[in-house]
Amino acid sequence: MKKVSVIKELPAGVAKVLKRLHHPLDVILLCVRWYVAYSLSLRDLEEMMAERGLAVDHSTVRRWVIKLLPLFEKAFRRHKQSVSKSWRMDETYLKVRGKWAYLYRAVDKAGNTIDFLLCARRDKVAARRYFEKAIGQNGAPDTVAIDKSAANLAALHAVNAHRETPIRIRQRKYLNNIVEQDHRAIKRRARPMLGFKNFRCARILIGGIETMHMIAKGRCGDPKAFACPPRSNSIPWFHRPAHSSPP
């Protein structure tokens, strides 16, 4: 199948960007996917492509990643499956330009990712922004479990002040074990990146990592929307299950 016919099957925004890129389509999508799905650096991907006879500079891979990940996340959100009404919310830490930033995340009681937000500060304003985003994307929960954070509690009280039916708040540390365990997958993937150079790129990359993490959990309501392109004669190793590791 020709590149043009494959591009027509992709979301419109992704297809528009891919038309301006000159490398084979399967190589572009493979590099972007592997970068956010596995613990690989840009130079790892450059070497892996070279071993297969493909000259792809690590800086080129980075440009692909920054251009395509926001489009992939946008397309995924249109097909994201619904979550339960019992949430577990927590924040974790990542370095951006050598300073700590705070990644707010939540999962439901089954461990399905609800939403995420990277913020420069850890306070009531940031926590409220996260809750408003998560509720806007997923609907309001019946219950939210948080730790002993005063900022998160204050943010939920602020959200409840504008609701007829308040969200029930549970401050039980053991209930948050599931989201704390889920943080590990994101931080493990971010570790080879050796910190983020600026906040814009950090948000894009975290968005891509979280998107791939949700796809791996089976949270895409339409798997065909994220199907890999047909097998290339030059790259017979392209088709692999979503849970497999790169060769």
Side-chain angles (χ1 to χ4, degrees):
M1 188 179 291
K2 294 182 180 180
K3 179 176 179 178
V4 173
S5 59
V6 175
I7 286 179
K8 288 181 180 179
E9 299 174 7
L10 296 170
V14 178
K16 184 177 180 180
V17 172
L18 287 173
K19 283 181 181 179
R20 299 196 294 266
L21 303 178
H22 304 295
H23 283 73
L25 175 63
D26 47 5
V27 173
I28 295 170
L29 296 181
L30 181 71
C31 288
V32 173
R33 173 179 175 267
W34 275 4
Y35 186 58
V36 292
Y38 305 110
S39 298
L40 298 170
S41 69
L42 292 169
R43 291 189 182 275
D44 288 334
L45 285 169
E46 180 181 349
E47 292 178 10
M48 292 167 72
M49 294 301 106
E51 289 175 359
R52 291 158 175 80
L54 299 167
V56 179
D57 189 77
H58 66 277
S59 60
T60 300
V61 176
R62 179 175 176 79
R63 285 195 295 272
W64 295 343
V65 167
I66 297 302
K67 285 182 179 180
L68 291 172
L69 285 183
L71 302 176
F72 289 152
E73 181 185 345
K74 183 179 179 181
F76 170 78
R77 285 186 180 275
R78 290 199 295 267
H79 301 283
K80 182 175 177 285
Q81 293 181 355
S82 60
V83 294
S84 78
K85 297 295 185 179
S86 179
W87 295 3
R88 281 86 167 113
M89 180 268 195
D90 190 33
E91 68 277 346
T92 188
Y93 307 86
L94 295 166
K95 278 200 171 181
V96 179
R97 298 187 67 180
K99 297 181 180 179
W100 289 113
Y102 305 92
L103 178 61
Y104 287 85
R105 306 180 67 248
V107 301
D108 66 12
K109 62 183 180 181
N112 299 314
T113 303
I114 293 163
D115 221 317
F116 54 90
L117 181 68
L118 185 66
C119 297
R121 295 180 178 83
R122 182 191 182 201
D123 55 20
K124 174 185 171 181
V125 174
R128 184 173 179 178
R129 281 180 58 206
Y130 170 76
F131 284 120
E132 289 175 346
K133 178 189 177 187
I135 291 170
Q137 293 280 346
N138 301 276
D142 295 330
T143 305
V144 175
I146 58 175
D147 57 17
K148 297 296 183 179
S149 168
N152 294 346
L153 181 62
L156 276 171
H157 284 317
V159 171
N160 278 338
H162 300 278
R163 295 179 53 81
E164 293 183 4
T165 304
I167 298 168
R168 183 186 175 199
I169 304 169
R170 301 185 68 185
Q171 287 188 288
R172 299 287 187 275
K173 186 170 177 60
Y174 73 90
L175 290 176
N176 268 17
N177 288 346
I178 188 170
V179 66
E180 290 172 359
Q181 294 284 337
D182 199 65
H183 289 335
R184 296 180 181 180
I186 305 304
K187 298 188 79 170
R188 180 172 58 249
R189 177 59 207 94
R191 195 171 297 120
M193 297 178 182
L194 303 176
F196 302 100
K197 302 301 183 290
N198 60 67
F199 222 84
R200 173 180 170 271
C201 289
R203 281 183 166 163
I204 290 172
L205 293 170
I206 291 298
I209 293 170
E210 291 275 12
T211 298
M212 188 55 64
H213 189 46
M214 287 188 277
I215 291 173
K217 290 180 179 180
R219 305 310 298 163
C220 184
D222 181 11
K224 292 181 180 179
F226 289 87
C228 296
R231 183 189 303 246
S232 166
N233 293 330
S234 61
I235 314 177
W237 37 264
F238 182 79
H239 279 276
R240 293 185 177 268
H243 61 270
S244 66
S245 299

